[in-house]
């Protein structure tokens, strides 16, 4: 049965996962921030501060000057990576947010797990599949909860698209198109001395950094994992000589749905997710950037509705979910096993791009 | 050098291919219409009548009752297919428009070529590659001009998108997404007794009937032909048991551009062509249906412009081009050789869908 129109109008941005009243939280989850890049400074910390379920208490980064400057402005304890790993101030945090270059997530997650701290690790989990598997294993061995930072999964616009799909509002999904592109060297930093261009640190660029959005969001809204993938990568600009500047990949889902995804670190800024079903279409455009409000279009037959709503702060929602689930002892939906599927797909896309052949994913 | 803004504002729908003044035409090209389906009745005949370069004089169809009814309403000579092939009224037409089921184009084109008449053949040219090759060969043998009915190529919106691409307005194209879908059994006719569902007559359904739009339009605006294709087809509804209900395919172009195309005969009506370049985006949405006005969006950096213009009658433009080029002795751009590339690609997509492997196209 379809929910009433009022459900969508009055409560579009509802937290359907929230069982505990935020006002009842007297002791929020205390977080150590690992990695002080622009995303941590401009998005993660404000998100943690806005969320009633979390607070930031500790920060570390290999750039100790940056840590000093940051702690002089914010009420946080700054430590060196060595001190963090040694657990010097472990009594000051309950959980750890890891937002370093992909290749160095593991060493901090190992330290956090050893300290018995819950982990929120940025995506992709690692620069390679085998290290991602070790990361999941080490959290399991120490029995610490692991969430991976898929901010689209806690965005209400994405959750409402998933709701509409699940209630059959557009019939059976037939095709998916997803695209995400930006001018990385213009929009973020013009410096070519950044870890995303270093294959050792990143494991890849367009696909690892952006590809995970079309991939994971499509998996999330469809509630299914791809069985077969094919991919292409390409680099033209010299800054991308070590890594993929452009990538495209197709995902074959169990019921035959094909998702066509393209990503680029050097093309017009854009992001779009378009799901075409037997009875309608659901479109998110813009879809994927934290710095833009999502817009949702619902099409069915001759009718088309553009849904406008108060945008949320995506990182507030993500950290609220993390803190809430820790405080209530609820398992995370985007956990390590869930994130490993993405790592296997990304690995297979690079393999397919190398061989020119599609890759079947085994269970 | 970029043309002035005024060129786009004042003359968006210009016929850049037109060298002869339409008002100077006293003897337009006389056309025999072969095949009296809904498209001929509702779109081709009005297009021929509106165009100053053409007029319709003769009509034939296997349904002779339909021909009788039609000629009682329109000033046309009706003949049986046998009479047409025998050239009974060949002195009443200069050229032949063939719009029968795909598998029967060839027999009428053979007759027209034998009569020395120019041909405008609907796309796809035939239900199979080998018959398409024979169709092109027979026109060459009889030295009759052959055009294939790619109505997007004479649509000014598509031509302006091509102009913008060629002048580098959006930089180098990186990725293309193209989609076309409809509820065939609802929008056109609810009867399942139609030739598009008969694999012998059609050669396929979603891919043959719709796939040719994303494919040919992408080729046209990029000015390039794909080197490598992969594809998937799928049928769920029992009406499509003989043919592909849904299809998707990727085209790999020489410079590495990947075009991701999806088509469906049983999904929400939609059509879109999205070209993402290093410096901007060009979007046609709606893109491909004759019964909808095209809308063009131009994006570059932070700027976005929705271009509104007086829609043309697509078939008037196509037939005007055909008649104009015959009267002026100008070769057609969408000729038989051009159309054979599509036939090879469609054939390769079906092969790829069968084998699960990509197909490299040889020259």
């Amino acid at each position: 049965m379809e929910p009433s129109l009022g459900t969508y109008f009055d409560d579009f941005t509802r937290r359907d996962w929230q069982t505990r009243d935020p006002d009842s939280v007297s002791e929020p989850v205390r977080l150590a921030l690992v990695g002080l890049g622009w995303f941590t400074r401009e998005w993660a910390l404000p998100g943690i501060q806005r969320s009633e379920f979390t607070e930031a208490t500790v920060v570390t980064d290999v750039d100790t000057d940056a840590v000093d400057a940051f702690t002089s402005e914010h009420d946080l304890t700054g430590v060196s990576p060595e001190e963090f790993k040694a657990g010097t101030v472990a009594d000051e945090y309950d959980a750890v947010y890891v937002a370093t270059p992909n290749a160095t997530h593991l060493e901090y997650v190992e330290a956090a797990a050893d300290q018995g701290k819950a982990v929120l690790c940025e995506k992709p989990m690692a620069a390679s599949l085998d290290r991602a598997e070790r990361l999941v294993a080490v959290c399991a061995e120490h029995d610490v909860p692991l969430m991976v930072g898929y901010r689209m999964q806690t965005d209400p616009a994405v959750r409402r698209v998933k709701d509409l799909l699940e209630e059959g509002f557009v019939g059976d999904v037939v095709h998916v198109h997803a695209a995400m592109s930006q001018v990385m060297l213009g929009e973020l930093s013009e410096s070519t001395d950044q870890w995303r261009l270093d294959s050792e640190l990143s494991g890849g660029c367009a696909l690892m950094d952006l590809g995970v959005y079309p991939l994971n969001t499509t998996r999330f809204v469809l509630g299914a994992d791809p069985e077969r993938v094919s991919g292409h990568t390409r680099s033209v600009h010299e800054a991308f000589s070590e890594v993929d500047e452009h990538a495209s990949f197709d995902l074959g889902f169990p019921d035959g749905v094909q998702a066509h995804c393209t990503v680029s670190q050097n093309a017009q800024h854009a992001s779009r997710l378009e799901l075409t079903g037997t009875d309608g279409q659901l479109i998110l455009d813009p879809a994927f950037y934290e710095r833009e409000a999502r817009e949702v279009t619902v099409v069915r037959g001759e009718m088309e509705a553009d849904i406008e709503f108060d945008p949320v702060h995506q990182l507030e929602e993500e950290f609220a979910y993390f803190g809430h689930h820790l405080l209530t002892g609820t398992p995370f939906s985007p956990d390590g096993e869930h994130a490993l599927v993405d790592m296997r797909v990304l690995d297979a896309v690079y393999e397919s791009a190398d061989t020119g052949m599609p890759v079947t994913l085994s269970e």
Side-chain angles (χ1 to χ4, degrees), chain A:
Chain A
M1 198 185 70
E2 295 184 0
S4 69
L5 188 63
T7 312
Y8 285 95
F9 266 79
D10 299 337
D11 222 5
F12 191 85
T13 59
R14 67 187 175 277
R15 289 177 175 170
D16 50 75
W17 45 263
Q18 185 172 281
T19 57
R20 179 161 169 189
D21 180 358
D23 294 336
S24 74
V25 178
S26 57
E27 295 188 347
V29 172
R30 299 169 305 157
L31 277 163
L33 313 186
V34 178
L36 204 42
W38 74 273
F39 192 81
T40 298
R41 295 192 313 272
E42 294 178 27
W43 288 97
L45 181 61
I48 293 163
Q49 290 170 331
R50 292 169 65 109
S51 136
E52 306 90 333
F53 297 99
T54 51
E55 67 177 319
T57 52
V58 171
V59 61
T60 186
D61 193 280
V62 289
D63 183 346
T64 50
D65 290 344
V67 170
D68 288 345
F70 200 70
T71 53
S72 74
E73 284 178 30
H74 296 85
D75 183 22
L76 295 167
T77 303
V79 291
S80 71
E82 294 68 34
E83 291 169 323
F84 173 79
K85 289 174 187 169
T88 309
V89 293
D91 57 344
E92 292 187 33
Y93 51 90
D94 311 304
V96 177
Y97 170 62
V98 180
T100 57
N102 302 336
T104 64
H105 291 170
L106 177 57
E107 60 197 76
Y108 293 103
V109 172
E110 283 174 334
D114 198 46
Q115 294 163 22
K117 307 296 183 184
V119 174
L120 173 49
C121 181
E122 267 305 336
K123 75 223 162 287
M125 270 195 295
S128 69
L129 175 57
D130 64 317
R131 284 173 65 89
E133 286 168 341
R134 281 171 55 195
L135 193 153
V136 175
V138 78
C139 289
E141 283 159 19
H142 289 84
D143 200 24
V144 299
L146 168 63
M147 173 171 153
V148 179
Y150 295 109
R151 57 184 166 74
M152 301 303 295
Q153 294 198 19
T154 43
D155 189 293
V158 177
R159 294 184 80 86
R160 295 302 86 76
V161 164
K162 182 176 171 66
D163 291 345
L164 286 163
L165 286 171
E166 286 177 352
E167 76 192 39
F169 195 85
V170 298
D172 297 322
V173 174
V174 173
H175 292 129
V176 180
H177 286 268
M180 186 176 189
S181 49
Q182 66 179 357
V183 184
M184 187 184 94
L185 294 175
E187 290 179 51
L188 303 186
S189 159
E190 296 197 6
S191 167
T192 56
D193 180 24
Q194 50 174 294
W195 65 266
R196 284 185 175 80
L197 295 171
D198 179 330
S199 62
E200 290 295 315
L201 283 173
S202 64
C205 193
L207 185 64
M208 294 296 270
D209 192 40
L210 304 180
V212 77
Y213 289 90
L215 163 58
N216 187 266
T217 311
T218 301
R219 284 180 59 207
F220 176 66
V221 298
L222 294 183
D225 294 339
E227 287 180 327
R228 194 175 160 93
V229 305
S230 59
H232 299 269
T233 58
R234 190 161 63 101
S235 295
V236 180
H237 191 291
E238 63 179 9
F240 295 89
S241 58
E242 275 192 30
V243 291
D244 47 305
E245 179 180 356
H246 314 295
S248 72
F249 54 99
D250 289 352
L251 309 172
F253 285 89
D255 52 3
V257 172
Q258 285 287 126
H260 296 261
C261 307
T262 59
V263 289
S264 174
Q265 292 284 24
N266 192 18
Q268 171 66 40
H269 179 97
S271 79
R272 181 178 173 93
L273 175 65
E274 176 189 291
L275 301 126
T276 303
T278 48
D279 300 331
Q281 267 190 323
L282 294 167
I283 300 163
L284 272 169
D285 186 352
F288 298 125
Y289 288 97
E290 72 293 320
R291 51 197 184 275
E292 290 165 347
R294 266 134 289 286
E295 292 179 22
V296 179
T297 302
V298 181
V299 184
R300 190 160 80 172
E302 301 287 314
M303 294 291 293
E304 177 169 328
D306 292 316
I307 316 291
E308 292 182 28
F309 51 93
D310 273 342
V312 298
H313 188 289
Q314 267 200 334
L315 278 294
E316 176 184 349
E317 296 304 298
E318 178 182 323
F319 280 102
Y321 176 97
F322 179 69
H324 172 274
H325 279 45
L326 282 179
L327 290 176
T328 56
T330 314
F332 304 122
S333 180
D335 64 5
E337 290 300 331
H338 175 86
L340 274 181
V341 174
D342 284 347
M343 292 301 301
R344 291 187 196 107
V345 172
L346 297 173
D347 197 58
V349 171
Y350 281 125
E351 180 189 335
S352 172
D354 269 353
T355 63
M357 292 292 146
V359 175
T360 300
L361 296 165
S362 47
E363 273 304 292

